[in-house]
Amino acid sequence: MTIVALGINHKTASVELREKVAFSPEQMAPALAELLTTHGVKEAVIVSTCNRTELYCSLELDETQILIDWLAQFHAITRTQLQEHIYQYQDFSAIEHLMRVSVGLDSLVLGEPQILGQIKQAYSQAKSNGAIGAMLERLFQKCFAVAKQVRTDTDIGASAVSVAYAAVSLAKHIYGKLDKTNVLLIGAGETIELVARHLHQNGCEKMTVANRTLARAQQVASEFNGNVVSLAQVPEQLIHSDIVISSTASTLPIIGKGVVEQALKARRHKPMLLIDIAVPRDIESQVAELDDAYLYSVDDLQAIVNQNIESREKAAAEAERIIVAKANEFLSWINSLDSVDLIRSYREQTDKIKLELISKATMQLAAGKDHNKVMTELANKLSNRIIHAPTRAIKEAAEQGDISQLAQLKKVLDID
């Protein structure tokens, strides 16, 4: 039995190719059913995200080319389109790869936690569709345990490594809980959308999105039950905002010192955190001169991110050591399965000899043959049959001068 991991990701293929081989939720069940009918495939899990499509399979034979052909055929693309972008791993390397992916060591953002949830979802889909057997069941459970250990024993996910996440982490550090804070988000691009998602995950319930285009602001706000205002309404909105995070494409500042000063007076100088992650800046740098305004720029956040990336890289080295040890543990378990089969076969062979000789002895006794002679003959024949194969192996090793083989036979047969 061979374990295989095969796929493409953000490192090996363009987004155009990744889109072509991605599996939609509706495709997953029929894809798994079809994959299991492919020659030699015993078990399968399909992982499909925006950054990767991977097949994890238990195969009867070492025939990974069959999987490439199946993937190309399913998505109606040529094998040539896939071939140069595919990576494939077997046995230990496949086990290690799945563990690295689950921990976030193979992600675009080092150590990001979302991939583990996606791996768990892929496992659940495969299991509900009857595509998982004993081998992949044990492998994926092992990976989930390894991911938990890495998160517990290292700082792989402790630090923010994106500006959006760093902004929210800073807000959380200053305010503690975010469930009671009013947050004003200025802009509605990808960065603000990511900030909104992180805020929501950290318990923020009061968000307002201000944007030049209200329809786009509504798209962002609706996902998090937020409010929408125009850029012209920002001065008024500042009065009610504890946290302001801005990221627009404006070439001129949107918020000036005077506007913030007026808002602080109306707030009776209740402090305000302003985080400007736009380039060029959305908030005038002079705002930092105000006593109750705490302004952070994208450069401030980037310095935090750079330190955190270095911290995660150190944690990643620790994670790699854990993964190698756990992958070896799993491989040892697989190898033990071979020994179990070997022991079972040896016992069955020995039992067959025993039953055959007992049958003959029983017939001899029934025919009136002397009891002592029958028992002696049974013992002699049983010992001769059992030692026949080891004796032959010893003679062959001796004739070939194979000292290591002789030593191994001596150890196995427990000969002093």
Side-chain angles (χ1 to χ4, degrees):
M1 193 72 71
T2 301
I3 294 177
V4 171
L6 176 148
I8 64 172
N9 63 18
H10 59 281
K11 298 176 185 177
T12 68
S14 65
V15 65
E16 289 79 14
L17 181 58
R18 298 203 304 274
E19 287 173 343
K20 289 179 181 178
V21 297
F23 291 84
S24 67
E26 296 75 23
Q27 289 178 309
M28 198 61 77
L32 286 165
E34 186 178 312
L35 184 52
L36 288 175
T37 63
T38 303
H39 175 68
V41 178
K42 303 300 292 180
E43 305 170 56
V45 174
I46 299 173
V47 176
S48 185
T49 73
C50 58
N51 284 332
R52 71 180 66 245
T53 291
E54 295 182 331
L55 309 179
Y56 292 94
C57 299
S58 173
L59 304 181
E60 284 184 324
L61 302 170
D62 177 11
E63 295 182 353
T64 55
Q65 298 306 310
I66 290 174
L67 297 179
I68 300 176
D69 290 336
W70 178 84
L71 188 59
Q73 177 271 324
F74 187 88
H75 290 291
I77 61 176
T78 66
R79 180 191 175 91
T80 306
Q81 285 177 280
L82 271 179
Q83 189 69 55
E84 61 182 285
H85 303 284
I86 285 278
Y87 49 83
Q88 49 190 309
Y89 304 101
Q90 289 179 227
D91 297 326
F92 177 83
S93 297
I95 297 163
E96 184 183 40
H97 177 72
L98 177 57
M99 290 180 177
R100 294 186 79 256
V101 171
S102 300
V103 170
L105 298 187
D106 196 55
S107 296
L108 188 61
V109 177
L110 180 65
E112 59 91 6
Q114 287 82 9
I115 186 62
L116 179 59
Q118 293 166 329
I119 295 288
K120 286 184 175 180
Q121 183 180 11
Y123 157 80
S124 296
Q125 287 174 320
K127 189 165 186 177
S128 64
N129 283 281
I132 288 186
M135 184 68 73
L136 292 190
E137 173 69 30
R138 185 149 181 150
L139 173 58
F140 276 79
Q141 292 299 334
K142 185 76 169 179
C143 284
F144 301 152
V146 168
K148 183 179 179 180
Q149 181 181 346
V150 168
R151 294 279 163 187
T152 302
D153 294 353
T154 77
D155 291 329
I156 191 69
S159 308
V161 290
S162 73
V163 169
Y165 190 56
V168 176
S169 296
L170 177 61
K172 191 176 179 183
H173 177 73
I174 291 173
Y175 283 92
K177 294 183 178 180
L178 299 179
D179 56 332
K180 303 298 183 184
T181 58
N182 288 302
V183 179
L184 173 62
L185 302 175
I186 304 176
E190 288 184 11
T191 301
I192 286 296
E193 188 172 2
L194 189 56
V195 167
R197 185 164 289 110
H198 289 316
L199 284 167
H200 182 71
Q201 290 169 351
N202 281 277
C204 182
E205 298 174 355
K206 301 174 183 177
M207 279 185 270
T208 299
V209 181
N211 193 51
R212 196 178 307 279
T213 307
L214 290 180
R216 174 56 189 154
Q218 188 61 51
Q219 287 179 353
V220 175
S222 61
E223 186 177 349
F224 311 105
N225 298 317
N227 299 316
V228 172
V229 297
S230 67
L231 290 182
Q233 294 173 284
V234 165
E236 177 187 342
Q237 196 65 37
L238 286 174
I239 297 170
H240 311 289
S241 302
D242 303 306
I243 301 169
V244 180
I245 303 176
S246 187
S247 178
T248 75
S250 175
T251 56
L252 296 172
I254 292 172
I255 298 176
K257 180 181 178 182
V259 173
V260 176
E261 191 169 18
Q262 290 300 317
L264 287 170
K265 286 181 181 178
R267 287 168 59 83
R268 296 183 180 179
H269 295 279
K270 183 181 178 182
M272 183 188 299
L273 171 65
L274 300 103
I275 302 174
D276 187 355
I277 49 181
V279 179
R281 296 183 189 182
D282 283 340
I283 304 173
E284 287 182 349
S285 58
Q286 289 83 355
V287 168
E289 298 170 4
L290 299 172
D291 288 340
D292 300 302
Y294 299 91
L295 175 63
Y296 291 82
S297 70
V298 68
D299 288 343
D300 298 324
L301 295 184
Q302 193 59 56
I304 296 171
V305 167
N306 290 340
Q307 289 177 349
N308 291 345
I309 288 174
E310 185 178 346
S311 173
R312 280 202 180 188
E313 286 173 347
K314 290 178 181 177
E318 297 175 42
E320 294 281 11
R321 287 191 288 273
I322 294 172
I323 287 169
V324 169
K326 296 303 180 181
N328 275 313
E329 276 183 18
F330 191 81
L331 192 63
S332 296
W333 174 76
I334 293 176
N335 292 336
S336 75
L337 296 181
D338 293 335
S339 68
V340 169
D341 291 339
L342 183 60
I343 291 168
R344 184 184 298 113
S345 297
Y346 184 60
R347 285 187 179 277
E348 288 174 354
Q349 180 180 308
T350 306
D351 284 343
K352 184 178 179 182
I353 294 170
K354 177 186 70 176
L355 292 173
E356 177 192 330
L357 294 177
I358 287 174
S359 177
K360 288 181 180 179
T362 302
M363 291 173 64
Q364 288 175 335
L365 289 171
K369 195 168 182 178
D370 181 77
H371 179 271
N372 289 331
K373 288 183 178 180
V374 171
M375 295 305 293
T376 300
E377 183 181 348
L378 171 62
N380 289 337
K381 285 185 176 179
L382 183 59
S383 62
N384 286 337
R385 291 281 290 275
I386 290 175
I387 70 172
H388 174 70
T391 301
R392 185 177 59 191
I394 290 171
K395 286 181 178 179
E396 289 177 356
E399 289 170 0
Q400 295 169 8
D402 192 337
I403 304 300
S404 62
Q405 179 71 354
L406 283 170
Q408 186 65 28
L409 286 167
K410 186 177 179 181
K411 181 180 178 181
V412 169
L413 298 171
D414 195 22
I415 299 171
D416 293 332

